[in-house]
Each structure stands twice: as C-alpha cells, then as structure tokens.
Amino acid sequence: MNILLKSATISAPSNTSIHNKKRDIHIKNGKIEKIASRITPANGTKEIKLDNLHVSIGWFDTSVSFGEPGFEERETLENGLKVASKSGFTDILLNPNTNPIPDTGSDIVFLKNSANSTITNLHPLGALTVKSKSEALAELFDMQTMGAVGFYDFKKPISNSNLLKIALLYAQNFNGLVFSYPEDVAIKGKGTVNEGEVSTRLGLKGVPALSEELQIARDLYVLEYTGGKLHIPTISTAGAVKLITEAKKKGLDVTTSVALHNICLTDSELESFDTSFKVKPPLRTTKNNKALLKGLLNGTIDYITADHRPIDIEEKRVEFDNAAYGTIGLESAFGALNNLIGLEDTVNCLTKGRARFNIPLPQIEEGVLANLTLFNPDGEHTFNYDNILSKSKNAIFLNRKLKGKVYGSINNDKMVLNV
C-alpha cells in the first residue's frame, strides 16, 4: 500500500505539534513515512482526497458480538470484521457468545486465525466458566496464553460468590482480567425492561435498578477481599455509577463500560413495543442517562461501547417478551456519540483504554505502523437501512439523526473506504 492522505485534520491530543493541524500523511508498506504541510506524491502513490477529512488513531470497542461459529445467520466473522473496519474500528473485543462457546485455548486460536488478514484486529474474550454455565472455571491460563484478553460469561451473571472469589484469586497468577455481568437474577426475575412508570403502564415485567446495583456491590466487596482485576461491563443506573466511583476512590482495580444506547435513549421508546429497543441491560430513564453521561465524561466509566449484537429477524419479529435481546451499533456509533458530546470527547471515548487489555496504543507519528480512522465530523444525516452493513438489521438507532460520517480505516497495511 502506497497512499497519500491529503489535507487531513489530525486529532492527536498527545502530540501537540500536529493536533488539530491540517497535514498530508504519506503511508507506505503499512508505515507512516512522512507527515508534512504539503507532500508531493511520487509515482505510484495513490492520493486520497476527501471532504473535510479528519484522522485519529483507530477506534476501539470493548463489546462486540458476531455469530460465527454457530450463528452464522446473525453474522459471520468475515463480514463482521468488515463492518467494524468500515465503521472506523481497528480493534475490537469479541464476546464469547458463539456455539460452541470459546472456553479452551484451541477455541481462541480458531478465532485469532480467522482474523489473520483483516483490517480490524480481533481480540477474543474467553468464557470465564466451562460453557458459561457458572459451575467450574474454564481454561483461563491456556486461553490467555493463546491470545484471550479477558474472561467473560457474556451477559450471564456469576451467581456463585465463591466462584467469583476463586476466579479473581486464580487470575492474579497471570495478570488475568475477570468480567462480571451486573445482574442479580433473583431480583430481576422475569423482567425484560426497566421497572418504572413506563413498564407499569405498558404491562411489561420490570427489571429494577436494584438488580444491577446489588450485584455490583457484591462484586466490589469480593474484589476488595481478593484483589485482582475486575471489569464490570455495560452498567445502566445512577446507583451503579456511584458504587464504581466509591470503589475507585478506595483504590480497587475495577473498570466499567456503558452501552451507547443506554446514554442516548430511554424506556419511553418502548411505547411502540418495537423489539429493536429490547436490550440488556434495559433502556432506563433520563435521570439514569444523565448520571451515566456524567460518569463517562469524568472518567468514572472507562469505556463506551456500541454493544454490537446482531440478531436475526426470526428472533426479533415476535412478541416483546419472547424477543431476543440486542442491537447492532458499530455503524451508528460515531454519529450518535458525536451528536451527543461533540468531536473531541467522542474521539477520546472511542480511542482510550487499550492498555487495560494489553493492546498496544497506536500513534500518529513518522516511522510507526499506521492504525488510523478516517472521518468527517460534520453534517447531519438520518440513519437508515442503506447505512446498515451487518447481515442482521436490528438497529436501535434506525431513522435517527446522526452527526458526521466515517470514511473508513487503515491498519495492517490495508485500507477500506466507504466512498
């Protein structure tokens, strides 16, 4: 690959000499050869000229699901990684919710090998317990040796407190990261949506905030006892933000994330009984959204995620109680977040946090491998079916106004553009 990005506004807060400056960027054989105000292309160099082109280091998402192996009708690894790269994400954590569930070293090798020649780097999560049944620990050390970056029973809480204790103690031997989904199943019961005025009026079974907060409180008590590294994915309540804030003040090694739709949307969307809005954790209230947004911007919440989860049409076009949870979100993530918090905070949220998972942080400087996202932060558009790149179409942001456009990404000596 031999390309020249012309007049790109560079977003690189750690490098003040080029941050928010317009520069030409010459990339050859996967490396950034030169950054300058004006570069005259040599023969054989492909010039890339795009309207209001902006460039940052490649974006990163901590919660992405596809389908393969086992659920290829939802999404394949090949197309899912293509969706990620076209949406600007050059690194993703892949959730362990396939069939079979990846709970051995060989499963991790299969997933890594499936992404050998892709633009987007796939970083697999292994199951915490065998078949994610929350009964016995899986082969954690072997999986980490083969490339797993953490251990997670996807969207399944660890009901056995002693199992969480043992996992945190054991994983310290090899600096492993334990995930614990925040849900008390007894409190949740048969609930599917946020417990409140909307659920009561619509006659839908509610999930109280207590279900999430009680589990988080337990997890943090166990973490304080054992030590180790804990990640609590996709919190959704103001009380959860408060608990994480207090834990970090104590010095506990805990991180957390929030799904983008849990900041942008509320349970008022449920009035239509549209199963696109059936997600886990559920959409909650404006009060919770404001607390989550504040927590994200002040650093209490470490990551924002699209929580991308393709679901085929047969599992969504059913009665609300019987519909599967989940929404796709990679394609709409930048536009929705940029519309909510503006460019600088958006780029910060989409690029930070790789170190937690031992993933190298890209840089924009001469002589390093190019790992870049190309985008235009301006312009409003309505997200519609034509913008969906995934095999599944369960998009929670469908028909909503988004801001900006992703042009594509560059990584691993490859480039993909949406133009």
Side-chain angles (χ1 to χ4, degrees):
M1 184 174 66
N2 183 9
I3 62 172
L4 179 63
L5 303 178
K6 294 294 292 183
S7 300
T9 301
I10 299 174
S11 179
S14 61
N15 189 342
T16 54
S17 64
I18 58 172
H19 182 50
N20 287 333
K21 305 286 178 60
K22 270 193 177 183
R23 295 289 186 268
D24 289 357
I25 305 174
H26 181 213
I27 300 170
K28 188 174 182 181
N29 298 327
K31 284 188 176 182
I32 299 176
E33 288 281 309
K34 188 175 182 181
I35 301 173
S37 298
R38 183 176 177 81
I39 299 174
T40 302
N43 289 338
T45 303
K46 181 180 180 180
E47 286 192 59
I48 307 296
K49 295 181 179 180
L50 298 168
D51 184 42
N52 195 28
L53 174 60
H54 283 60
V55 171
S56 73
I57 64 170
W59 299 341
F60 170 53
D61 195 299
T62 60
S63 181
V64 175
S65 302
F66 293 141
E68 186 183 359
F71 301 108
E72 287 82 357
E73 72 279 5
R74 297 177 182 176
E75 187 61 277
T76 61
L77 284 166
E78 180 182 6
N79 189 65
L81 289 166
K82 191 178 296 183
V83 171
S85 62
K86 287 188 173 184
S87 302
F89 293 90
T90 58
D91 289 275
I92 62 157
L93 302 193
L94 184 68
N95 290 315
N97 58 334
T98 53
N99 185 22
I101 289 171
D103 58 5
T104 68
S106 59
D107 294 328
I108 300 302
V109 170
F110 167 78
L111 293 169
K112 294 283 288 184
N113 287 344
S114 298
N116 272 341
S117 58
T118 57
I119 292 176
T120 297
N121 301 318
L122 184 156
H123 307 280
L125 295 167
L128 181 67
T129 63
V130 176
K131 301 186 186 303
S132 290
K133 289 185 175 181
S134 202
E135 294 173 354
L137 291 183
E139 299 175 4
L140 307 189
F141 177 72
D142 287 349
M143 286 191 288
Q144 181 153 313
T145 301
M146 296 302 176
V149 297
F151 311 106
Y152 181 24
D153 290 345
F154 178 70
K155 303 285 187 184
K156 296 178 180 178
I158 306 168
S159 298
N160 186 331
S161 301
N162 191 54
L163 188 62
L164 175 62
K165 183 194 77 172
I166 292 170
L168 286 167
L169 288 170
Y170 174 58
Q172 289 178 58
N173 292 298
F174 47 90
N175 199 32
L177 178 62
V178 173
F179 283 54
S180 179
Y181 183 70
E183 178 184 88
D184 184 300
V185 293
I187 297 292
K188 173 185 177 288
K190 295 182 179 179
T192 57
V193 301
N194 178 59
E195 181 182 82
E197 184 266 330
V198 173
S199 66
T200 302
R201 180 158 40 81
L202 298 180
L204 295 171
K205 296 180 179 68
V207 181
L210 177 64
S211 170
E212 181 172 305
E213 294 157 10
L214 194 61
Q215 191 82 349
I216 291 174
R218 185 213 65 172
D219 289 354
L220 294 174
Y221 272 118
V222 174
L223 178 65
E224 189 171 7
Y225 176 80
T226 60
K229 295 164 56 178
L230 180 67
H231 180 68
I232 300 175
T234 56
I235 65 173
S236 66
T237 74
V241 177
K242 184 178 179 181
L243 287 166
I244 298 296
T245 300
E246 293 168 352
K248 289 189 171 185
K249 286 179 180 177
K250 288 181 179 180
L252 299 185
D253 192 352
V254 60
T255 49
T256 191
S257 65
V258 62
L260 178 56
H261 45 262
N262 280 110
I263 287 184
C264 294
L265 306 174
T266 70
D267 58 359
S268 63
E269 304 292 343
L270 301 172
E271 299 283 353
S272 62
F273 289 92
D274 186 343
T275 58
S276 297
F277 299 106
K278 187 178 181 181
V279 289
K280 187 176 183 179
L283 300 178
R284 297 200 186 268
T285 63
T286 301
K287 176 184 176 182
N288 288 295
N289 290 18
K290 287 180 177 178
L292 292 165
L293 180 57
K294 182 179 178 181
L296 178 69
L297 295 178
N298 68 23
T300 299
I301 298 174
D302 302 270
Y303 310 101
I304 191 156
T305 171
D307 207 18
H308 182 85
R309 190 179 184 185
I311 300 293
D312 58 271
I313 192 169
E314 287 82 3
E315 294 182 89
K316 278 293 188 180
R317 286 196 178 174
V318 294
E319 290 180 348
F320 196 93
D321 280 345
N322 297 324
Y325 293 99
T327 176
I328 57 172
L330 289 174
E331 300 98 312
S332 53
F334 171 69
L337 192 58
N338 186 35
N339 196 39
L340 180 68
I341 61 176
L343 179 60
E344 186 172 338
D345 285 327
T346 293
V347 171
N348 177 54
C349 287
L350 293 177
T351 55
K352 68 177 182 176
R354 285 173 167 90
R356 181 66 165 174
F357 308 94
N358 297 312
I359 300 169
L361 179 68
Q363 301 292 334
I364 301 180
E365 56 186 48
E366 294 177 356
V368 305
L369 293 173
N371 182 325
L372 305 172
T373 297
L374 285 56
F375 58 97
N376 179 350
D378 299 327
E380 205 175 66
H381 71 280
T382 300
F383 186 75
N384 57 41
Y385 277 109
D386 292 338
N387 304 122
I388 296 177
L389 307 172
S390 302
K391 285 184 68 175
S392 294
K393 310 302 178 185
N394 54 312
I396 202 168
F397 286 104
L398 195 63
N399 298 321
R400 294 187 180 274
K401 295 287 186 182
L402 306 182
K403 184 179 180 182
K405 176 182 180 180
V406 179
Y407 286 131
S409 56
I410 298 171
N411 190 32
N412 297 327
D413 198 19
K414 297 179 176 65
M415 176 176 66
V416 63
L417 295 177
N418 297 313
V419 292

